[in-house]
Amino acid sequence: MQMKTDFLVIGSGIAGLYFAIKAAEMGTVAIITKKEQAESNTNYAQGGIASVISADDSFDSHIADTLNAGAGLCHRDAVEVIVREGPARINELLTLGVEFTKKNNQLDLGREGGHSKHRIVHAADLTGHEVERALLEKVNQHPNIQVFENHAAIDLITEHHLVNTGKAEHRQNTHCWGAYVLDSKSNTVKTFLSSVTMLATGGTGQVYLHTTNPLIATGDGIAMAYRAGAKVGNMEFIQFHPTTLFNSGAPSFLISEAVRGFGGILRTRDGADFMKKYDARGSLAPRDIVARAIDSELKRSGDECVFLDVTHHKANETSSHFPNIYKRCLEFNIDITKDLIPVVPAAHYSCGGVVTDLYGSTSIVGLFACGEVSMTGVHGANRLASNSLLEALVFSTRAAAQIKEKKIYSSITPEIPEWDESGTVNADEWVLIAHDRKEIQQIMWDYVGIVRSNHRLDRANRRIQLILQEVLDFYKRTAVTAELIELRNLARTAELIIRSALSRKESRGLHYTTDYPKPNDSEWLRDTIVNS
Ligand code: FAD
Ligand code: SIN
């Protein structure tokens, strides 16, 4: 079955929805999303959106904090863009009906690690849920937008041309014309044709055993773009959030960095405020530093967790600032107004992704990327807290504006063959998929985590290469399913992370290796770019 649309958007988190709203002013938009429409990393975002709002803040200060966290690899032009265009995007969200928390009729501004000012716009501790609600409301009312739930993109549809560069040399020019998509309810593969495809598939957290990310975060967009030949960058920079609720067995639950911004102190079991040993900013140091410090304390003591302490605050202030965290912890018999919160780090955010310019364009014509799937240059080697939702808003707006200005879209698309499943059989050994998924997550957690070494990365590489090969063979023989799509993408994403980590022979930001414990500016002040 073929579907034609002016704009194809893959993903219904903040990046996809925001782009869709803007693109719908130009033509028809199809949003495909692999589960229910709200299921996304966005929906779980807690802390908020960083933006210069307060009179005592400045663009220069937000830019400096972002560059500082990024450890030398941020692209200054991209940072300037998100910081300077941030306040306008926050105003748009307010106009769209997002109900941010206010105090005395002004936006209440929180603070998080690495920020030198209070600048986090938030909706209590459920910011992402509130933003997603408001955007979906707008999207679902729009006559030009159609949302396809339970539709998982399998692969991008690409056409390759040899372009003569004039010196008897040829370069390959690739054009994207949409995607093959599995409707997982009817089990049919549909062809979505479009001259503009926006990849907004989010992050990669599910590559790791412990993650703050929901089940949808399987690196699909990065793997699809890589297979299509797009440039992918900085995949070694995986951010581990320092504080998720320690509770063996249950999925990780985030304890927002805003809790430390509120005055929360990290302590070891004996009550020591250990962060002072590692950084003058103590518990509010940037995430990479805090996560490594916790890792080091746990290795030293043999404990399973450290503790976050907000018991010195008034109980009603704590519970009203963090109603969701308060309620969730109570379910585990932890009253955060009286008890210390046991916490451990977990994989949280991918700073790398599909390389784009300042307008969301990738190295493939007609293919754009926004949000966590992209590498715009904003985050460098380590993302500053709450800059991610901001990046998604700013770059999806810029992409739509550029497409409009340059009239990049067209209703004419080439003839594309339908999906061909001949020669494949229905899989009967689901245990293989479940096993491989768990094995990838365990390998990545054990060997490609907060602290790395050549020995561990080599070991991970050998194992992931084997799994990847087996998964690719299985994929060729087997009729496609939602689980198989994810497994293939998880294996490729893991391979890209390891390959990039092995190639960076220094420590910088989120990539720390005991073999090269220091940054090496003379050789490594550059992005790690790979393509297929
Ligand atoms: P997502 O919101 O993850 O959306 C991706 C969409 O793509 C989903 O709809 C998914 O179903 C869909 N999808 C994926 N693959 C496919 C496929 N193959 N086919 C079809 N659809 C597909 N950042 C901040 O700035 N501030 C915060 O306070 C903050 N808190 C966070 C708290 C948590 C617990 C987490 C997990 C993240 C947090 N982040 C925060 C990070 C931020 O939420 C994400 O980076 C951001 O929401 C990503 O938005 P996105 O639109 O790019 O992707
Ligand atoms: C948090 O609330 O700690 C998450 C903020 C972020 O990831 O930017």
Side-chain angles (χ1 to χ4, degrees):
M1 186 201 286
Q2 283 209 349
M3 323 274 288
K4 243 185 173 184
T5 178
D6 293 328
F7 301 94
L8 173 63
V9 178
I10 309 180
S12 58
I14 188 170
L17 296 179
Y18 214 63
F19 176 79
I21 291 168
K22 308 254 165 182
E25 291 167 20
M26 297 176 264
T28 56
V29 182
I31 303 178
I32 62 158
T33 187
K34 67 179 173 178
K35 292 272 163 35
E36 300 74 40
Q37 55 182 358
E39 192 54 6
S40 57
N41 274 6
T42 302
N43 208 34
Y44 298 88
Q46 294 186 355
I49 310 177
S51 192
V52 176
I53 304 287
S54 145
D56 81 334
D57 198 358
S58 67
F59 289 150
D60 284 348
S61 167
H62 190 182
I63 291 167
D65 290 346
T66 304
L67 296 175
N68 194 20
L73 282 197
C74 297
H75 300 189
R76 190 177 174 110
D77 52 359
V79 174
E80 297 243 359
V81 156
I82 63 150
V83 169
R84 293 182 192 282
E85 295 180 16
R89 301 291 80 81
I90 298 291
N91 279 332
E92 276 178 4
L93 287 183
L94 287 165
T95 310
L96 274 168
V98 176
E99 295 199 9
F100 290 122
T101 303
K102 292 192 174 159
K103 217 183 198 170
N104 305 325
N105 224 15
Q106 304 289 321
L107 288 171
D108 181 47
L109 301 174
R111 190 165 166 198
E112 291 177 355
H115 286 277
S116 49
K117 295 284 178 191
H118 281 75
R119 62 167 75 100
I120 315 298
V121 179
H122 63 105
D125 57 353
L126 283 167
T127 308
H129 188 266
E130 172 56 13
V131 171
E132 186 78 14
R133 177 203 65 73
L135 296 183
L136 278 174
E137 204 172 293
K138 177 82 183 166
V139 156
N140 288 324
Q141 285 164 0
H142 205 298
N144 269 358
I145 307 178
Q146 204 178 345
V147 182
F148 295 84
E149 293 185 314
N150 301 302
H151 278 59
I154 306 167
D155 264 320
L156 298 168
I157 298 169
T158 48
E159 192 184 32
H160 304 275
H161 300 281
L162 280 185
V163 179
N164 191 334
T165 58
K167 290 184 221 155
E169 282 173 9
H170 289 84
R171 147 175 87 76
Q172 202 168 57
N173 209 353
T174 304
H175 200 126
C176 176
W177 293 110
Y180 290 115
V181 177
L182 175 72
D183 174 346
S184 48
K185 289 282 180 219
S186 66
N187 225 13
T188 50
V189 176
K190 299 175 181 170
T191 309
F192 277 77
L193 281 179
S194 186
S195 67
V196 171
T197 301
M198 171 56 79
L199 259 190
T201 48
T204 61
Q206 287 294 326
V207 167
Y208 286 89
L209 190 62
H210 303 292
T211 176
T212 62
N213 293 190
L215 291 170
I216 53 96
T218 49
D220 295 6
I222 292 171
M224 281 191 282
Y226 175 80
R227 284 194 292 272
K231 285 185 188 161
V232 169
N234 286 355
M235 290 301 295
E236 65 273 38
F237 298 115
I238 299 292
Q239 184 168 69
F240 289 78
H241 198 293
T243 57
T244 65
L245 185 63
F246 171 68
N247 170 47
S248 52
S252 303
F253 174 74
L254 185 73
I255 306 294
S256 175
E257 196 154 304
V259 176
R260 279 177 286 134
F262 181 68
I265 296 167
L266 283 162
R267 302 191 187 281
T268 36
R269 186 171 292 283
D270 57 9
D273 173 0
F274 64 91
M275 273 311 301
K276 292 267 169 57
K277 280 192 303 197
Y278 295 88
D279 193 286
R281 289 163 288 188
S283 294
L284 256 192
R287 281 183 195 169
D288 56 330
I289 297 169
V290 181
R292 263 198 310 279
I294 295 176
D295 188 70
S296 152
E297 288 297 317
L298 296 183
K299 288 207 170 105
R300 191 188 52 75
S301 64
D303 285 343
E304 286 186 300
C305 61
V306 293
F307 297 87
L308 186 55
D309 180 6
V310 269
T311 56
H312 46 288
H313 277 286
K314 285 196 184 121
N316 63 338
E317 281 181 11
T318 302
S319 58
S320 65
H321 258 82
F322 305 107
N324 179 45
I325 294 173
Y326 175 69
K327 190 166 142 257
R328 180 80 175 143
C329 288
L330 270 186
E331 288 167 21
F332 294 96
N333 292 323
I334 301 161
D335 178 346
I336 67 171
T337 66
K338 298 191 194 115
D339 306 322
L340 302 190
I341 314 168
V343 290
V344 282
H348 182 60
Y349 184 84
S350 169
C351 293
V354 183
V355 176
T356 73
D357 65 9
L358 294 183
Y359 302 94
S361 296
T362 70
S363 53
I364 293 182
V365 181
L367 179 67
F368 294 76
C370 269
E372 193 166 339
V373 70
S374 65
M375 191 211 109
T376 61
V378 163
H379 308 304
N382 181 27
R383 176 180 67 105
L384 185 66
S386 287
N387 266 353
S388 164
L389 297 172
L390 176 66
E391 181 196 38
L393 290 169
V394 167
F395 277 86
S396 55
T397 303
R398 292 176 71 84
Q402 175 87 343
I403 289 166
K404 187 172 180 185
E405 190 190 318
K406 302 229 155 131
K407 299 202 169 44
I408 293 172
Y409 61 102
S410 144
S411 54
I412 301 163
T413 50
E415 285 296 307
I416 299 290
E418 295 271 320
W419 181 254
D420 180 7
E421 270 204 335
S422 53
T424 62
V425 294
N426 288 329
D428 51 5
E429 293 204 73
W430 291 116
V431 64
L432 298 181
I433 293 185
H435 178 92
D436 281 358
R437 186 169 174 135
K438 274 199 207 124
E439 201 176 341
I440 292 169
Q441 292 173 330
Q442 190 75 55
I443 291 167
M444 294 300 286
W445 185 255
D446 288 344
Y447 304 141
V448 198
I450 298 170
V451 175
R452 300 164 180 179
S453 69
N454 282 341
H455 182 63
R456 288 184 199 172
L457 290 175
D458 281 335
R459 215 180 153 92
N461 194 31
R462 283 194 296 275
R463 282 157 176 75
I464 291 291
Q465 292 292 352
L466 181 66
I467 295 173
L468 180 62
Q469 212 39 62
E470 286 176 358
V471 170
L472 295 182
D473 290 345
F474 186 65
Y475 180 84
K476 270 191 210 141
R477 289 182 274 116
T478 314
V480 73
T481 64
E483 294 81 1
L484 188 52
I485 292 170
E486 289 193 342
L487 178 63
R488 177 177 174 234
N489 293 329
L490 280 168
R492 174 57 72 194
T493 305
E495 189 271 333
L496 290 172
I497 296 170
I498 297 168
R499 199 195 316 167
S500 306
L502 270 170
S503 74
R504 185 170 286 280
K505 308 229 176 290
E506 63 156 1
S507 290
R508 180 181 301 279
L510 298 162
H511 174 68
Y512 181 82
T513 161
T514 52
D515 289 293
Y516 314 98
K518 295 243 156 26
N520 177 349
D521 282 358
S522 58
E523 274 189 64
W524 285 103
L525 216 43
R526 56 185 154 93
D527 297 322
T528 311
I529 306 291
V530 292
N531 60 349
S532 56

